[in-house]
Amino acid sequence: MIEYPIPMVPGPTSVPQVILDAMNRDYPSPDLEIEFLDLYNQTEKLLQVLYETKNRMVIHTGEGMIALWGALKSTLLPGDRVLALASGVFGYGIAEMAAAIGAEVKVYGVEYDQTFQDLDAVERIIETFRPKMITAVHCETPSGTLNPLEKIGILKQQYEIPLFYVDAVASLGGAPVKTDEWAIDLCLGGSQKALSAPPLAAFIAVSDSAWRIIKEVGYVGYDALLPFWDAQEKFYFPYTPNWHGVSAIYQAVKLILDEGLEEVFKRHETVADYCRRELQAMGLRLFPAKEAIPSPTVTAVYIPEKFDWKELDRRLREKGLVVGGSYGLLAGKIFRLGHMGSQAKMELVEKALSVIKEVVHST
Ligand SMILES: *Cc1c(COP(=O)(O)O)cnc(C)c1O
């Protein structure tokens, strides 16, 4: 099987041995053993620290998309108004998902190389449109940007918008996600980005007001949040939980908390700054516009003119480096380095940059 000597894909990220070890045993039935419930409850507590929240967590088997869908379907009814703030593939995608459920969606979009900093226009829309939900993406992984959420949270509170939905899948564990301070009602995370676990779980921090709406809506489905309301109390989950997976998540979050949240965020910032500086020094052009905020978890770079993506990818792989391409409008235009979680390491990024330098400067 192919191995990545220098893994820099922006998810799934490379999984540390301690996390693999946490899964590597023959677990008994999670439906029967109280030991599983204890682990689930403890994992919820660790996730609450990571999310900086008092809100209850839902831990779904699956990966990021089950959280994105489940949180929309569990809270929206046809005709509900949704304001989708979109600056990239996921932001526009969430708008389409909400529309598919029958919501009346207003998209406030900016270019993919921008982030939401000036919210005057957003505030004017909120004043008249009065949405039930505002959606936003924290880290837009395909474009390497990080949208600040604090001011959106202030507007949400000021205009008493019932739901603030945030996709934090690619920032959680690599950048601060202040769920309570930013007034996020549905905060979504996944296992295979900065947590560096395999793609096996998604988490949603659910506020009290979101739980009220979830009960009103009463959505029934595999991805529904409602059954998790009393799943722990009744020790009755809507499907057989993934003990291996929850065990991996427990270990992944514990690794982060043992290192220290501040330390972990600083490590991501340092590595990201270094990566961007060095790429520019090689003559490469970063993707996000100057005024946009780059994400500490992923760097997006224009593919140099002399290569197409396939050729660049082939040349980098020859030297052991595997990076990400991109999607949607950016496919074939940019490539991305995922310095998140286990991959936010200086030695690794130095190796990656030296390969890029060799390839880019070759003739
Ligand atoms: C990876 C990712 C997701 C979830 O997608 P997966 O299917 O789990 O890969 C959602 N949102 C963002 C911003 C992501 O980067």
Side-chain angles (χ1 to χ4, degrees):
M1 195 177 35
I2 193 159
E3 281 184 28
Y4 295 172
I6 314 172
M8 290 300 288
V9 178
T13 49
S14 133
V15 182
Q17 191 62 44
V18 278
I19 296 179
L20 292 173
D21 290 345
M23 301 191 295
N24 189 20
R25 55 161 289 190
D26 183 20
Y27 283 104
S29 167
D31 295 319
L32 303 180
E33 305 308 321
I34 201 75
E35 212 185 321
F36 171 75
L37 184 61
D38 288 342
L39 175 70
Y40 186 99
N41 291 340
Q42 286 172 42
T43 306
E44 175 182 41
K45 286 206 176 75
L46 296 188
L47 282 167
Q48 285 169 326
V49 179
L50 185 62
Y51 272 86
E52 303 190 39
T53 188
K54 293 195 188 66
N55 292 342
R56 303 242 328 265
M57 301 292 315
V58 170
I59 306 173
H60 252 314
T61 301
E63 38 59 66
M65 295 313 294
I66 196 170
L68 268 63
W69 277 113
L72 290 176
K73 287 188 176 173
S74 295
T75 54
L76 293 178
L77 291 169
D80 281 344
R81 284 193 297 274
V82 173
L83 171 59
L85 304 182
S87 62
V89 173
F90 283 97
Y92 286 97
I94 289 165
E96 284 173 17
M97 289 158 68
I101 297 169
E104 184 189 339
V105 181
K106 193 180 276 292
V107 182
Y108 181 72
V110 296
E111 299 292 327
Y112 283 27
D113 63 350
Q114 302 287 325
T115 44
F116 285 100
Q117 283 136 282
D118 179 2
L119 294 177
D120 288 351
V122 173
E123 181 165 7
R124 281 197 298 278
I125 296 171
I126 292 174
E127 267 170 358
T128 53
F129 187 57
R130 296 283 167 170
K132 173 181 177 179
M133 175 189 279
I134 300 174
T135 70
V137 177
H138 196 201
C139 168
E140 266 291 356
T141 333
S143 31
T145 54
L146 191 81
N147 283 304
L149 301 173
E150 186 180 356
K151 284 193 215 158
I152 306 171
I154 292 171
L155 289 178
K156 174 231 136 79
Q157 287 172 295
Q158 197 179 330
Y159 290 92
E160 297 177 6
I161 308 303
L163 295 168
F164 183 20
Y165 169 108
V166 169
D167 174 350
V169 173
S171 55
L172 186 78
V177 174
K178 298 177 184 290
T179 307
D180 290 355
E181 197 180 314
W182 299 341
I184 302 169
D185 296 284
L186 295 156
C187 193
L188 323 178
S191 55
Q192 82 271 25
K193 304 286 168 75
L195 265 59
S196 301
L200 44 67
F203 343 104
I204 305 144
V206 183
S207 74
D208 290 343
S209 77
W211 279 119
R212 268 194 302 281
I213 291 168
I214 288 164
K215 287 178 205 165
E216 271 165 36
V217 167
Y219 165 66
V220 177
Y222 184 52
D223 52 357
L225 304 189
L226 185 56
F228 287 87
W229 167 251
D230 54 7
Q232 290 150 278
E233 194 188 329
K234 295 197 172 140
F235 189 18
Y236 188 75
F237 287 89
Y239 48 77
T240 303
N242 178 354
W243 197 330
H244 301 73
V246 176
S247 177
I249 299 313
Y250 176 85
Q251 190 52 247
V253 185
K254 196 166 173 312
L255 265 185
I256 293 172
L257 299 180
D258 285 351
E259 184 179 346
L261 277 184
E262 290 309 313
E263 285 306 311
V264 169
F265 299 151
K266 208 164 72 196
R267 173 163 56 81
H268 281 80
E269 282 291 347
T270 307
V271 164
D273 287 349
Y274 175 76
C275 182
R276 291 182 189 119
R277 255 199 333 270
E278 292 296 310
L279 288 166
Q280 286 175 295
M282 285 176 214
L284 293 178
R285 193 151 68 94
L286 301 182
F287 173 72
K290 273 217 166 57
E291 64 278 14
I293 300 171
S295 174
T297 52
V298 53
T299 289
V301 200
Y302 281 99
I303 295 169
E305 266 166 32
K306 64 177 172 182
F307 297 107
D308 62 17
W309 160 241
K310 256 183 139 165
E311 174 68 3
L312 179 67
D313 186 38
R314 192 182 63 76
R315 298 264 211 120
L316 298 177
R317 279 175 183 261
E318 266 173 14
K319 297 184 189 302
L321 171 62
V322 186
V323 300
S326 195
Y327 302 99
L329 295 175
L330 301 178
K333 295 201 174 104
I334 68 167
F335 71 101
R336 299 171 303 141
L337 295 160
H339 34 70
M340 52 174 82
S342 61
Q343 296 171 190
K345 280 203 205 96
M346 204 51 117
E347 316 85 76
L348 187 67
V349 172
E350 276 167 0
K351 277 190 205 160
L353 290 168
S354 96
V355 169
I356 292 170
K357 193 168 184 175
E358 240 183 285
V359 168
V360 166
H361 290 167
S362 66
T363 46

